[in-house]
Amino acid sequence: MRSQTDNLGGLNHLITLDGLSREMITAILDRAQTYRRVPGQPAYEGRELAAVTVANLFFEPSTRTRASFDLAARRLGAHVLNLDLHSSSRVKGETMLDTIYTLEAMNTDVFVIRDSEPGMPEFLIDHVAPHVSVISAGEAHLSHPTQGLLDVLTIRTHKGRFAGLKVAMVGDIRHSRVARSTARALATLGATDLRIVAPTMLLPSEREFEGAQRFTRIEDGIAGADVVMMLRIQKERMAEAASLDEAAYFQEFGLTPERLLLASPSALVMHPGPMNRGVEISSEVADGSHSVIREQVNNGVAVRMAVLASIAATLTRHRRPL
Ligand code: CP
């Protein structure tokens, strides 16, 4: 695979947080902080992406990631085009690479891609032109790098540190690209106490999440946790989906106000969305005082602006002269 950084260390692509240094992640978070505006404030408007064209290619459903990449690019002055599977010529049999080459021929500079096929972002960065960048907006169950970054920005904003934090991820860890990317970002930033909490059938293989403690009872897994991150059951990635009893799952693994009392009194409750209320989380907790779920969404725009701006600064070095 081609490197995600160029020979001067600038961010060229972002398809995984694996191998990204603590310094690089911190620089992206610091930059995101400067773009962050809370709801009610005027949004940041800049020209960092002037004369840059960003194509959002979403071949799996999305609300948050797609909307926030679109807003992030426009707020930095980019031209943006949005394609989804149903309105593109991929339904007529065109390959992803031919779709990319077609849009490359229209001077598209940055491709933001969500796809269910493992390995697709890596394949693409090996084939695009040197002046073109690829950002993964979610790769199968494997990777969701900007979600990992927005999660650690949210934690940093509230906790100010990663060392010594107890972070519990609860739910369908096996099929979660969010869990994989956020765990990677946490480890790189120095969080060493990660607990993964799931029924046995939803735990990942022993080779993954190295160093994390594993729990099959939510009460044990969230005890004393500083951060409780709830995850959706990814029915679309499971053969057993039809037989899953959601009411029974909520009884055993749902985050309720009573269970939340077991975590630290200052615990953050997080969820990447989309939430299934009454399946993995109760409405009282999702909308309660510990919840930072909408803040995660707000940080998603800022993080995607920071990633796009960092990549734009690198790609200008690789453009052909007029
Ligand atoms: N968290 C997340 O990726 O949400 P969407 O699927 O709505 O983009």
Side-chain angles (χ1 to χ4, degrees), residues 3-14 20 24 133 310-315 317-318:
S3 172
Q4 297 190 112
T5 52
D6 74 355
N7 53 357
L8 295 178
L11 192 66
N12 219 6
H13 307 279
L14 181 63
L20 221 60
M24 176 69 84
S133 297
S310 304
I311 280 178
T314 307
L315 74 83
R317 287 204 284 272
H318 302 284

Side-chain angles (χ1 to χ4, degrees), residues 58 60-68 114 137-138 144 147 150 177-178 232 271-274 304:
F58 278 69
E60 279 193 325
S62 171
T63 297
R64 280 145 287 271
T65 314
R66 179 173 164 162
S68 57
R114 172 172 286 191
H144 194 348
Q147 180 73 45
L150 77 88
R177 55 193 174 205
V178 174
R232 180 176 69 86
H271 193 307
R304 287 163 184 134

Side-chain angles (χ1 to χ4, degrees), residues 137-214:
E139 175 191 0
H141 63 288
L142 292 173
S143 176
H144 194 348
T146 54
Q147 180 73 45
L149 292 171
L150 77 88
D151 285 344
V152 290
L153 177 61
T154 307
I155 294 170
R156 189 178 83 163
T157 303
H158 284 272
K159 300 294 182 187
R161 69 189 163 93
F162 292 96
L165 272 191
K166 295 180 174 58
V167 180
M169 294 181 177
V170 184
D172 183 2
I173 315 286
R174 180 183 292 234
H175 301 102
S176 176
R177 55 193 174 205
V178 174
R180 288 175 175 80
S181 287
T182 303
R184 171 56 56 203
L186 285 166
T188 303
L189 293 173
T192 52
D193 190 346
L194 177 65
R195 297 120 184 253
I196 56 174
V197 187
T200 308
M201 67 175 274
L202 298 180
L203 281 170
S205 79
E206 294 288 340
R207 294 189 308 278
E208 295 189 280
F209 294 86
E210 199 186 334
Q213 294 180 73
R214 290 166 181 248

Side-chain angles (χ1 to χ4, degrees), residues 28 30 39 52 65 73 130 132 164 166-168 170 176 178 217-218 225 246 249 288 296 321-322:
I28 294 171
D30 291 346
V52 171
T65 314
V132 167
K166 295 180 174 58
V167 180
V170 184
S176 176
V178 174
R217 270 175 38 91
I218 185 171
E246 293 184 343
Y249 181 83
Q296 288 174 267
L322 275 174

